[in-house]
Amino acid sequence: MEKFAQLREAIERVEVVDAHAHNIVALDSGVHFLSCFSEATGEEALSHVPHTINFKRSLREISELYGTESSLPAVEEFRRSSRLEVITATCFKAARISTLLIDDGFELDKKQEIKWHEKFVPCVRRILRIERLAEQILDEGSPSGTTWTLDAFTEKFVQKLKSLSGEVVGYKSIAAYRSGLDIDTKVTVEQAEKGLYDVLGAGSPVRIANKNFIDYVFTCALEVALCFDLPIQIHTGFGDKDLDLRLSNPLHLRNILEDKRFSKSRLVLLHASYPFTKEASYLASVYPQVYLDFGLAIPKLSFHGMISSVKELMDLASTRKVMFSTDGCAFPEAFYLGAKKAREVVFSVLRDACIAGDLSIQDAVAAVKDIFADNAKEFYKIKVAEKPIKSEVLAFASNLPTEISASGEDLVLVRIIWVDASGQQRCRVVPRKRFHDVVKKNGVGLACACMAMTSAVDGPADGTNLSGVGEVRLIPDMLTKYTIPWAKQQEMVLGDMHLTPGEAWEYCPREALRRVSKLLRDEFNLVMNAGFENEFVLLRNIAREEKEEWVPFDTKPYCSTSAFDAVFPILQEVTSSLQSLNITVEQLHAEAGNGQFEMALGYTVCTKAADNLVFTRETIKAVARKHGILATFLPKYALDDIGSGSHVHISLSENGENVFMARGESTEHGMSNVGEEFMAGVLTHLPSILVFTAPIPNSYDRIQPNTWSGAYLCWGKENREAPLRTACPPGVPNGVVSNFEIKVCDGCANPYLALASIIVAGLDGLRRHLKLPKPVDQNPDNLKEEIQRLPKSLSESLEALEKDTLMRDLIGEKLLTAIKGVRKAEIKYHAENKDAYKKLIHRY
């Protein structure tokens, strides 16, 4: 794939011109959200939409963008709980749309005015739908107050077209929906007048359906367009059931194309003319006035269908005649999906053309710029970025992933964050200008030793095979870039480790999680979802005998209201900051330890859950520091007090539905067969998983019997002494299990590596169809003679990992070698320095 890095970069970087779209509607509009995924109308037809390929794929991509569970209810709940401006800013930033051309002639319940869209896109222009204009004129009544005549209508219609010529960049016709594309440009006055009376006789509000009158309106508009050098967009190919597909074949346009009066006109065939893409390509190749637009076909078709359509358009047509649009309508998500899939499809098509020898890489890169931007700019005579994005929208967007906020004049520094093998969060910081000029594309240099450092020493540990020799690139993931809520003049972004830009380094934790997540999806069509509980201790600084000492903020009991009151200013700011980062906080309370609190995060796809955990740790520590308090996630701050964990709840979804829980099948434990097999794999590999979830010696001071931390190798139903606990939270039918909790995970764990190890174990369970033993329904310490103890130390968990060949094969031998080297160094250092754990409050 490195061969096509230049092409991929061109695809990802191009700011697109969306040459055909419609208005967005209010969140409480009557337009059904399922319409975002289909041209179907009516409850019965829409009921089949969730079973389409486009829906399943699109829902997954929207949920990943929003960081929600991949289900329709979860996405709809996110939409209901968010402002329309926030949703729109999120989608448009991710879509990277520089220009938006809107046909506002499509009547939608509670649609936003064109001007509203200007808050999100630098350049928004109008496309005028000619049939709708004609209907509005007829509904207003004739100027004289008498019955309309054709002459009176024509005068008013042409006058209106001319008066709007400076306000629009083109016209649009939906003749295909009304009477078909076999337009007679020589329709007589008598035929047109009879057609007008036929239209008026149908009553008000006017809906033009008479073929002769439609042909007349189209011909008049074409003449005006020619005078003002304006193009006309023509609906061709598929649409909703109001359309007779047989009459929407663009070959029917021959009358217009052969009419010498209109040989200099400019016509755009919309929607790839699907399923008549070959015919459209032919017309564009032989008629200089014909251009093509593939919106709607992308993203409504299957992926292979989209690729096939674009390939067929380009079989004969010039790449200078093919244009991008989303045909986004009603929902911001439609714009995002259209842009995202178009980039993927065009990359695939052009890459294949390069492989076949049809194009050079340089040809393909030029085609990207033409298709996504330059063709439309020239064709519609538009200038991008005619006006700046409004400041209030920058406020919406400043805490949404991608790039719109990056140009704010008040932003000074950008932090690029990574998590190393020891679970420590680190960052490189660069000035804003350098970030955008250099780092965004090329990253920053990072010594290979960065993945060999321990909690005690900022240098490479022995046995990791990493040293101060060699360098990798820390590449910012622009979809994770946010303005820092507690430091508004800075931004933060998560980084991926690459050997060279575009080539992932095999030691990169984020890439490891992506890699095994892909295995789970490819082999079983499953996605692992995760939600973390964060336990942490708040410490205050005191001077005792002229020495600095950190002591718990208070000594209040579990779920104490007074404890919550005492730290409310901190927790309120943390919660508010996380909300601005699109991270859901589900609940928080005082925990049982001195100065200890817990914050549970919302459930989402595991890759997003790991990102959210990194940002949450950053937020809690930074906000506490701002208030003069030190927050620590250390598993056992005080050996005589309750420990802090980072319990993680796990479930599986398939096509957006939770398939961990039982659904109609016979089940002993309230979970599906798939859920049981996955969980059985995790239980089988739990001793070696501890190397990833409990990564320092202090972790094992926490995992003790009778402390609700899970010290024995077992599982239980709502058993908080078991390391794996199946859960039936509020809202789930009694006896049904929605997820399971892993208690042997703490705040020193690298979340990407921890979740990757869980997926690897679950994969083994699925592949071998493992079954769970009987659950333990009492304190496992009462059965300690019968139940195996989990590793009591990091050394014991390492011994288990040494025997676990599956982890080596799927996590990656080199990465695993580095992890084991770091863990062995931790063991040696802490064995020689018994009180060293006390200093870790400043590292975790």
Side-chain angles (χ1 to χ4, degrees):
M1 291 300 296
E2 181 60 26
K3 177 181 179 182
F4 300 104
Q6 185 182 358
L7 175 59
R8 185 178 293 281
E9 181 184 357
I11 289 279
E12 292 174 350
R13 288 174 64 88
V14 65
E15 299 280 343
V16 301
V17 175
D18 188 350
H20 177 253
H22 305 278
N23 305 64
I24 289 172
V25 300
L27 289 176
D28 60 349
S29 168
V31 183
H32 201 299
F33 184 53
L34 287 177
S35 302
C36 182
F37 311 100
S38 172
E39 290 295 287
T41 56
E43 289 296 327
E44 186 175 355
L46 285 170
S47 69
H48 297 285
V49 171
H51 306 287
T52 62
I53 290 174
N54 174 47
F55 173 84
K56 294 177 185 297
R57 177 191 66 230
S58 298
L59 183 70
R60 184 169 63 247
E61 292 174 338
I62 292 171
S63 66
E64 288 174 355
L65 176 69
Y66 290 160
T68 67
E69 180 183 349
S70 184
S71 70
L72 184 59
V75 169
E76 289 183 318
E77 176 57 32
F78 179 88
R79 299 185 88 254
R80 281 192 294 270
S81 63
S82 303
R83 296 179 61 185
L84 179 62
E85 287 82 358
V86 172
I87 293 173
T88 306
T90 303
C91 291
F92 276 44
K93 285 179 63 185
R96 299 190 60 166
I97 297 173
S98 69
T99 303
L100 187 61
L101 308 186
I102 296 180
D103 161 23
D104 63 342
F106 187 22
E107 293 304 312
L108 296 162
D109 179 46
K110 298 183 180 179
K111 72 179 182 181
Q112 305 291 343
E113 296 299 322
I114 285 183
K115 191 170 183 59
W116 180 87
H117 299 76
E118 294 176 357
K119 295 189 291 184
F120 309 97
V121 180
C123 177
V124 180
R125 302 300 297 272
R126 184 186 181 194
I127 297 289
L128 179 65
R129 185 180 292 206
I130 59 175
E131 291 85 3
R132 184 66 190 128
L133 176 62
E135 289 167 345
Q136 289 172 336
I137 289 172
L138 292 175
D139 277 331
E140 290 170 1
S142 68
S144 62
T146 59
T147 303
W148 277 108
T149 65
L150 185 64
D151 286 343
F153 166 77
T154 304
E155 181 181 356
K156 181 73 173 178
F157 182 62
V158 171
Q159 179 188 41
K160 193 68 174 176
L161 287 174
K162 290 180 177 179
S163 68
L164 293 172
S165 62
E167 302 174 20
V168 301
V169 293
Y171 300 152
K172 162 142 177 228
S173 171
I174 57 165
Y177 268 100
R178 303 297 175 84
S179 56
L181 296 179
D182 186 15
I183 295 170
D184 182 3
T185 58
K186 296 182 172 59
V187 61
T188 66
V189 170
E190 292 77 13
Q191 290 172 321
E193 190 146 39
K194 187 174 183 302
L196 170 62
Y197 295 148
D198 180 64
V199 168
L200 295 173
S204 184
V206 171
R207 184 181 186 278
I208 299 174
N210 180 276
K211 182 181 184 321
N212 286 332
F213 190 63
I214 288 174
D215 293 353
Y216 180 80
V217 167
F218 186 97
T219 305
C220 287
L222 196 54
E223 289 172 344
V224 175
L226 199 56
C227 291
F228 289 92
D229 193 23
L230 289 172
I232 292 190
Q233 298 181 344
I234 303 174
H235 182 107
T236 62
F238 73 136
D240 63 43
K241 67 178 183 179
D242 196 27
L243 173 146
D244 186 338
L245 188 61
R246 297 168 298 181
L247 302 178
S248 65
N249 189 325
L251 293 180
H252 289 303
L253 292 170
R254 181 174 173 81
N255 288 337
I256 296 172
L257 301 177
E258 288 294 324
D259 192 323
K260 296 189 183 303
R261 292 177 296 165
F262 305 122
S263 61
K264 299 296 183 182
S265 62
R266 293 182 291 131
L267 310 175
V268 190
L269 309 185
L270 297 174
H271 314 317
S273 299
Y274 182 84
F276 310 111
T277 49
K278 292 179 180 178
E279 290 87 340
S281 181
Y282 162 73
L283 293 176
S285 71
V286 297
Y287 289 103
Q289 66 267 47
V290 175
Y291 292 74
L292 308 173
D293 183 303
F294 54 71
L296 190 66
I298 298 177
K300 290 294 194 290
L301 303 180
S302 70
F303 191 72
H304 291 297
M306 291 186 284
I307 289 176
S308 175
S309 294
V310 174
K311 279 186 175 180
E312 288 182 353
L313 287 182
M314 294 171 61
D315 276 344
L316 294 173
S318 163
T319 55
R320 297 298 303 275
K321 282 190 159 193
V322 178
M323 288 179 279
F324 157 82
S325 75
T326 64
D327 197 29
C329 179
F331 307 102
E333 294 85 353
F335 296 80
Y336 166 68
L337 292 170
K340 183 178 188 298
K341 300 319 292 184
R343 292 180 196 272
E344 294 173 9
V345 168
V346 172
F347 173 79
S348 180
V349 170
L350 294 177
R351 178 199 60 198
D352 289 352
C354 292
I355 292 172
D358 290 338
L359 297 175
S360 66
I361 296 292
Q362 290 70 30
D363 293 334
V365 169
V368 167
K369 297 175 181 176
D370 289 338
I371 292 168
F372 281 106
D374 292 349
N375 290 347
K377 291 177 187 176
E378 181 179 345
F379 186 79
Y380 294 102
K381 295 179 168 55
I382 51 179
K383 294 181 180 179
V384 177
E386 294 180 347
K387 58 186 77 172
I389 297 175
K390 296 189 176 182
S391 58
E392 63 265 29
V393 177
L394 290 176
F396 298 140
S398 64
N399 285 313
L400 295 169
T402 63
E403 300 183 55
I404 221 169
S405 63
S407 60
E409 289 302 318
D410 58 337
L411 296 174
V412 178
L413 300 172
V414 183
R415 304 179 189 180
I416 309 163
I417 299 170
W418 78 95
V419 188
D420 68 16
S422 70
Q424 295 179 82
Q425 298 185 185
R426 303 175 185 264
C427 72
R428 284 287 184 87
V429 185
V430 295
R432 180 196 67 225
K433 186 176 187 304
R434 178 168 178 78
F435 180 86
H436 288 282
D437 290 349
V438 179
V439 174
K440 185 169 71 172
K441 175 182 175 182
N442 300 295
V444 295
L446 207 60
C448 292
C450 70
M451 280 299 288
M453 295 177 180
T454 71
S455 66
V457 180
D458 289 336
D462 293 338
T464 58
N465 289 342
L466 295 171
S467 68
V469 177
E471 187 171 88
V472 294
R473 295 287 178 263
L474 187 65
I475 306 291
D477 176 357
M478 298 303 292
L479 290 177
T480 66
K481 184 163 72 65
Y482 296 89
T483 296
I484 298 178
W486 60 88
K488 296 290 187 180
Q489 287 186 308
Q490 298 182 56
E491 290 182 321
M492 58 183 175
V493 62
L494 298 177
D496 289 314
M497 299 172 182
H498 286 201
L499 286 170
T500 58
E503 183 183 358
W505 190 37
E506 52 205 321
Y507 292 87
C508 177
R510 295 184 87 223
E511 181 62 24
L513 179 56
R514 289 192 199 104
R515 189 170 60 249
V516 295
S517 295
K518 185 176 185 300
L519 278 177
L520 182 63
R521 177 174 291 171
D522 289 349
E523 290 188 33
F524 298 98
N525 194 32
L526 295 174
V527 172
M528 189 179 84
N529 301 305
F532 285 94
E533 298 175 2
N534 294 270
E535 293 176 339
F536 53 94
V537 175
L538 297 179
L539 304 173
R540 57 189 176 89
N541 186 279
I542 64 169
R544 183 174 291 170
E545 297 179 357
E546 299 183 355
K547 291 183 180 181
E548 179 184 72
E549 187 175 340
W550 290 95
V551 299
F553 181 83
D554 65 15
T555 58
K556 304 288 194 310
Y558 171 74
C559 281
S560 165
T561 54
S562 59
F564 189 86
D565 285 339
V567 298
F568 172 72
I570 296 175
L571 297 181
Q572 181 187 40
E573 185 173 347
V574 168
T575 303
S576 176
S577 296
L578 292 177
Q579 287 176 343
S580 74
L581 298 173
N582 289 330
I583 297 174
T584 301
V585 176
E586 292 198 338
Q587 67 176 12
L588 53 162
H589 61 266
E591 259 296 350
N594 292 329
Q596 188 183 41
F597 293 84
E598 178 182 304
M599 179 173 289
L601 302 182
Y603 213 53
T604 186
V605 62
C606 64
T607 49
K608 180 70 173 176
D611 291 346
N612 287 351
L613 185 62
V614 172
F615 285 132
T616 299
R617 290 174 178 171
E618 288 289 304
T619 302
I620 291 172
K621 290 182 76 70
V623 172
R625 189 182 306 114
K626 180 179 172 182
H627 288 264
I629 299 294
L630 188 149
T632 180
F633 297 93
L634 190 65
K636 199 77 167 177
Y637 156 72
L639 298 184
D640 59 351
D641 201 355
I642 299 297
S644 295
S646 185
H647 309 163
V648 58
H649 290 256
I650 300 294
S651 77
L652 301 170
S653 62
E654 181 178 17
N655 301 324
E657 293 186 15
N658 186 327
V659 293
F660 186 85
M661 65 173 65
R663 291 184 181 273
E665 57 190 291
S666 177
T667 173
E668 182 182 357
H669 305 304
M671 66 186 88
S672 66
N673 289 330
V674 166
E676 180 178 356
E677 290 175 2
F678 188 92
M679 184 175 167
V682 174
L683 182 63
T684 299
H685 292 272
L686 197 55
S688 55
I689 287 175
L690 285 176
V691 172
F692 304 92
T693 61
I696 64 173
N698 183 257
S699 299
Y700 299 82
D701 293 324
R702 181 184 81 89
I703 304 173
Q704 298 293 326
N706 305 306
T707 60
W708 290 16
S709 58
Y712 292 90
L713 185 60
C714 63
W715 75 281
K717 298 178 180 180
E718 299 292 7
N719 186 343
R720 284 173 167 76
E721 281 291 353
L724 301 186
R725 174 181 74 93
T726 56
C728 179
V732 175
N734 188 38
V736 175
V737 171
S738 66
N739 65 86
F740 71 99
E741 177 188 31
I742 302 175
K743 302 185 76 67
V744 287
C745 184
D746 63 47
C748 296
N750 180 312
Y752 304 102
L753 298 177
L755 292 173
S757 70
I758 293 167
I759 290 178
V760 169
L763 274 169
D764 188 43
L766 291 168
R767 288 169 175 174
R768 296 198 286 145
H769 304 292
L770 298 179
K771 294 298 180 184
L772 287 168
K774 289 185 178 182
V776 173
D777 58 4
Q778 60 178 295
N779 185 341
D781 196 44
N782 296 337
L783 305 171
K784 57 187 174 184
E785 303 301 326
E786 306 169 29
I787 303 177
Q788 179 184 335
R789 181 76 156 83
L790 278 176
K792 298 178 182 179
S793 66
L794 184 55
S795 297
E796 289 185 13
S797 63
L798 264 177
E799 289 175 11
L801 182 61
E802 292 286 359
K803 302 172 186 176
D804 199 326
T805 57
L806 185 72
M807 288 291 176
R808 180 196 64 209
D809 294 341
L810 296 189
I811 294 293
E813 187 169 1
K814 289 184 178 180
L815 175 56
L816 206 58
T817 297
I819 292 168
K820 289 190 288 188
V822 169
R823 301 294 184 266
K824 289 174 183 177
E826 299 276 14
I827 294 167
K828 183 175 185 297
Y829 181 84
H830 287 276
E832 296 171 353
N833 301 271
K834 296 297 184 182
D835 289 336
Y837 74 92
K838 295 179 180 179
K839 297 181 180 179
L840 296 183
I841 58 173
H842 301 288
R843 290 192 176 239
Y844 298 101

Short mmCIF file of all heavy atoms in Angstrom, two decimals, residues 315-335:
data_model
loop_
_atom_site.label_atom_id
_atom_site.label_comp_id
_atom_site.label_asym_id
_atom_site.label_seq_id
_atom_site.Cartn_x
_atom_site.Cartn_y
_atom_site.Cartn_z
N ASP A 315 -15.35 4.83 -17.43
CA ASP A 315 -14.96 3.98 -18.57
C ASP A 315 -14.74 4.81 -19.82
O ASP A 315 -13.77 4.61 -20.57
CB ASP A 315 -16.03 2.92 -18.83
CG ASP A 315 -15.86 1.70 -17.93
OD1 ASP A 315 -14.78 1.55 -17.34
OD2 ASP A 315 -16.82 0.92 -17.84
N LEU A 316 -15.65 5.76 -20.08
CA LEU A 316 -15.57 6.56 -21.30
C LEU A 316 -15.40 8.05 -21.00
O LEU A 316 -14.77 8.77 -21.78
CB LEU A 316 -16.83 6.36 -22.15
CG LEU A 316 -17.06 4.96 -22.73
CD1 LEU A 316 -18.44 4.88 -23.38
CD2 LEU A 316 -15.97 4.61 -23.75
N ALA A 317 -15.97 8.52 -19.91
CA ALA A 317 -15.99 9.95 -19.63
C ALA A 317 -14.63 10.46 -19.16
O ALA A 317 -13.88 9.74 -18.49
CB ALA A 317 -17.05 10.27 -18.58
N SER A 318 -14.35 11.69 -19.46
CA SER A 318 -13.14 12.36 -18.99
C SER A 318 -13.24 12.57 -17.49
O SER A 318 -14.31 12.89 -16.96
CB SER A 318 -13.00 13.71 -19.69
OG SER A 318 -12.09 14.55 -19.00
N THR A 319 -12.12 12.44 -16.79
CA THR A 319 -12.12 12.72 -15.35
C THR A 319 -12.34 14.21 -15.09
O THR A 319 -12.65 14.59 -13.96
CB THR A 319 -10.79 12.29 -14.70
OG1 THR A 319 -9.69 12.93 -15.38
CG2 THR A 319 -10.62 10.78 -14.76
N ARG A 320 -12.20 15.04 -16.12
CA ARG A 320 -12.50 16.46 -15.98
C ARG A 320 -14.00 16.74 -16.07
O ARG A 320 -14.43 17.88 -15.90
CB ARG A 320 -11.77 17.26 -17.07
CG ARG A 320 -10.25 17.21 -17.00
CD ARG A 320 -9.71 17.78 -15.70
NE ARG A 320 -10.13 19.14 -15.47
CZ ARG A 320 -9.52 20.22 -15.96
NH1 ARG A 320 -8.44 20.07 -16.71
NH2 ARG A 320 -9.97 21.43 -15.69
N LYS A 321 -14.77 15.67 -16.30
CA LYS A 321 -16.22 15.84 -16.41
C LYS A 321 -16.98 15.13 -15.28
O LYS A 321 -18.21 15.15 -15.27
CB LYS A 321 -16.71 15.29 -17.75
CG LYS A 321 -16.48 16.20 -18.94
CD LYS A 321 -17.22 15.65 -20.14
CE LYS A 321 -17.44 16.77 -21.16
NZ LYS A 321 -18.41 16.36 -22.18
N VAL A 322 -16.27 14.51 -14.36
CA VAL A 322 -16.91 13.78 -13.26
C VAL A 322 -16.79 14.61 -11.99
O VAL A 322 -15.71 15.09 -11.65
CB VAL A 322 -16.24 12.41 -13.06
CG1 VAL A 322 -16.89 11.67 -11.88
CG2 VAL A 322 -16.35 11.58 -14.33
N MET A 323 -17.91 14.77 -11.28
CA MET A 323 -17.92 15.61 -10.08
C MET A 323 -18.52 14.88 -8.89
O MET A 323 -19.38 14.02 -9.03
CB MET A 323 -18.70 16.90 -10.35
CG MET A 323 -17.97 17.87 -11.26
SD MET A 323 -18.89 19.38 -11.60
CE MET A 323 -20.01 18.82 -12.88
N PHE A 324 -18.06 15.30 -7.73
CA PHE A 324 -18.51 14.74 -6.45
C PHE A 324 -19.68 15.54 -5.90
O PHE A 324 -19.74 16.77 -6.03
CB PHE A 324 -17.36 14.76 -5.45
CG PHE A 324 -17.80 14.74 -4.01
CD1 PHE A 324 -18.13 13.54 -3.39
CD2 PHE A 324 -17.89 15.92 -3.27
CE1 PHE A 324 -18.53 13.50 -2.07
CE2 PHE A 324 -18.29 15.89 -1.95
CZ PHE A 324 -18.61 14.68 -1.34
N SER A 325 -20.60 14.84 -5.26
CA SER A 325 -21.57 15.47 -4.37
C SER A 325 -22.03 14.43 -3.37
O SER A 325 -21.84 13.23 -3.58
CB SER A 325 -22.78 16.04 -5.13
OG SER A 325 -23.65 15.00 -5.54
N THR A 326 -22.62 14.88 -2.28
CA THR A 326 -23.15 13.93 -1.30
C THR A 326 -24.62 13.65 -1.50
O THR A 326 -25.13 12.63 -1.06
CB THR A 326 -22.97 14.48 0.14
OG1 THR A 326 -23.76 15.67 0.29
CG2 THR A 326 -21.51 14.78 0.44
N ASP A 327 -25.33 14.57 -2.17
CA ASP A 327 -26.79 14.57 -2.20
C ASP A 327 -27.32 14.49 -0.77
O ASP A 327 -28.37 13.91 -0.50
CB ASP A 327 -27.36 13.41 -3.03
CG ASP A 327 -28.83 13.65 -3.39
OD1 ASP A 327 -29.22 14.82 -3.51
OD2 ASP A 327 -29.59 12.68 -3.52
N GLY A 328 -26.54 15.07 0.17
CA GLY A 328 -26.95 15.11 1.56
C GLY A 328 -28.29 15.80 1.70
O GLY A 328 -28.54 16.83 1.08
N CYS A 329 -29.15 15.22 2.54
CA CYS A 329 -30.50 15.75 2.67
C CYS A 329 -31.01 15.52 4.08
O CYS A 329 -30.95 14.39 4.59
CB CYS A 329 -31.42 15.08 1.65
SG CYS A 329 -33.13 15.63 1.73
N ALA A 330 -31.50 16.57 4.71
CA ALA A 330 -32.20 16.50 6.00
C ALA A 330 -31.28 16.26 7.19
O ALA A 330 -31.42 16.90 8.23
CB ALA A 330 -33.31 15.45 5.97
N PHE A 331 -30.33 15.33 7.05
CA PHE A 331 -29.53 14.92 8.18
C PHE A 331 -28.04 15.20 7.94
O PHE A 331 -27.51 14.82 6.88
CB PHE A 331 -29.74 13.43 8.46
CG PHE A 331 -31.19 13.07 8.61
CD1 PHE A 331 -31.88 12.46 7.58
CD2 PHE A 331 -31.87 13.37 9.78
CE1 PHE A 331 -33.22 12.14 7.70
CE2 PHE A 331 -33.21 13.06 9.92
CZ PHE A 331 -33.89 12.44 8.88
N PRO A 332 -27.35 15.82 8.88
CA PRO A 332 -25.91 16.07 8.71
C PRO A 332 -25.13 14.80 8.44
O PRO A 332 -24.12 14.81 7.74
CB PRO A 332 -25.50 16.69 10.05
CG PRO A 332 -26.75 17.24 10.64
CD PRO A 332 -27.85 16.34 10.17
N GLU A 333 -25.62 13.67 9.00
CA GLU A 333 -24.93 12.41 8.81
C GLU A 333 -24.84 12.01 7.34
O GLU A 333 -23.89 11.35 6.92
CB GLU A 333 -25.65 11.30 9.60
CG GLU A 333 -25.59 11.46 11.10
CD GLU A 333 -26.67 12.35 11.68
OE1 GLU A 333 -27.42 12.98 10.89
OE2 GLU A 333 -26.79 12.44 12.91
N ALA A 334 -25.84 12.40 6.55
CA ALA A 334 -25.83 12.06 5.12
C ALA A 334 -24.65 12.72 4.41
O ALA A 334 -24.06 12.13 3.49
CB ALA A 334 -27.15 12.49 4.47
N PHE A 335 -24.29 13.92 4.82
CA PHE A 335 -23.16 14.62 4.23
C PHE A 335 -21.85 13.92 4.60
O PHE A 335 -20.97 13.74 3.77
CB PHE A 335 -23.13 16.08 4.70
CG PHE A 335 -24.32 16.89 4.26
CD1 PHE A 335 -25.53 16.80 4.93
CD2 PHE A 335 -24.24 17.75 3.18
CE1 PHE A 335 -26.63 17.55 4.54
CE2 PHE A 335 -25.33 18.49 2.77
CZ PHE A 335 -26.52 18.39 3.46
#
